[in-house]
């Protein structure tokens, strides 16, 4: 059997809908490990995006910004900082939306055998669902609601999964 046919069959196995009675829920511990792994992997790309943004916008070094006049340069610096935050957030959103949609998984999810599926069909999620999941995940992670919801639900689903119509499962 050739390597390409092996890759195709394993890929189709991940894309096949998972029946509701065969879904294994992801523990909170496995979620924490995955989040830590994701943060570790995203440090490099975030620094690259920040560097490129800084070079392209011609942001002054911190010493020059501190010595700048309070008027127009302070508001320009504020806009640059907000622009940097938007660029970094967008890059992270693109990573997760691409990683979650159409049956793909991020490296930590693949390592830990975690898959994001559509809660109703059990199949891969769309880009729209992945984007909704990312938006709600941002809110629930910052507020801590993801953990509270997961602790009190028997299936350990989080607020962002409930709002996006998705489900994390442990695929063995």
């Amino acid at each position: 059997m050739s390597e390409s046919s092996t890759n195709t069959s394993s890929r189709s196995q991940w894309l096949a809908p998972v029946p509701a009675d065969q879904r294994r829920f992801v523990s909170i511990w496995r979620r924490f490990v995955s989040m830590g792994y994701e943060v570790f992997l995203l440090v490099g790309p975030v620094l690259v995006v920040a560097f490129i943004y800084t070079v392209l916008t011609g942001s002054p070094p911190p010493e020059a910004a501190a010595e700048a006049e309070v008027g127009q340069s302070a508001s320009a610096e504020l806009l640059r900082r907000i622009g940097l935050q938007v660029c970094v957030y967008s890059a992270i959103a693109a990573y997760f939306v691409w990683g979650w949609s159409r049956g793909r998984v991020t490296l930590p999810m693949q390592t830990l055998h975690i898959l994001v599926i559509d809660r109703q069909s059990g199949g891969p999620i769309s880009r729209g669902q992945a984007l909704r999941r990312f938006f709600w995940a941002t809110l629930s992670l910052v507020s801590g609601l993801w953990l509270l919801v997961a602790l009190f639900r028997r299936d350990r689903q989080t607020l962002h999964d409930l709002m996006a119509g998705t489900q994390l499962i442990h695929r063995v």
Side-chain angles (χ1 to χ4, degrees), residues 23-152:
R23 298 178 189 173
R24 293 183 55 201
F25 304 125
V26 177
S27 69
I28 294 174
W29 175 247
R30 190 172 289 266
R31 288 175 187 261
F32 271 120
V33 171
S34 180
M35 284 190 290
Y37 195 170
E38 295 284 8
V39 168
F40 179 74
L41 288 179
L42 282 171
V43 167
V46 164
L47 289 176
V48 169
V49 167
F51 176 75
I52 291 170
Y53 179 85
T54 304
V55 168
L56 292 177
T57 60
S59 295
E63 302 84 33
E67 296 171 5
E69 293 180 23
V70 177
Q72 186 178 4
S73 18
S75 63
E77 183 60 27
L78 178 63
L79 285 176
R80 277 194 205 103
R81 288 180 185 201
I82 291 171
L84 174 61
Q85 292 172 0
V86 168
C87 281
V88 168
Y89 185 78
S90 298
I92 293 171
Y95 166 78
F96 282 112
V97 169
W98 181 86
W100 292 335
S101 62
R102 304 172 96 193
R104 292 184 288 256
V105 292
T106 63
L107 180 60
M109 293 172 68
Q110 184 176 8
T111 303
L112 296 168
H113 302 282
I114 297 172
L115 183 63
V116 181
I117 61 171
D118 180 86
R119 191 176 23 207
Q120 297 299 322
S121 70
I125 66 172
S126 66
R127 282 193 188 117
Q129 275 183 300
L131 190 60
R132 281 192 304 276
R133 185 175 194 268
F134 182 79
F135 172 75
W136 284 107
T138 302
L139 297 176
S140 70
L141 287 172
V142 168
S143 68
L145 286 175
W146 77 273
L147 184 58
L148 289 175
V149 172
L151 284 173
F152 291 107

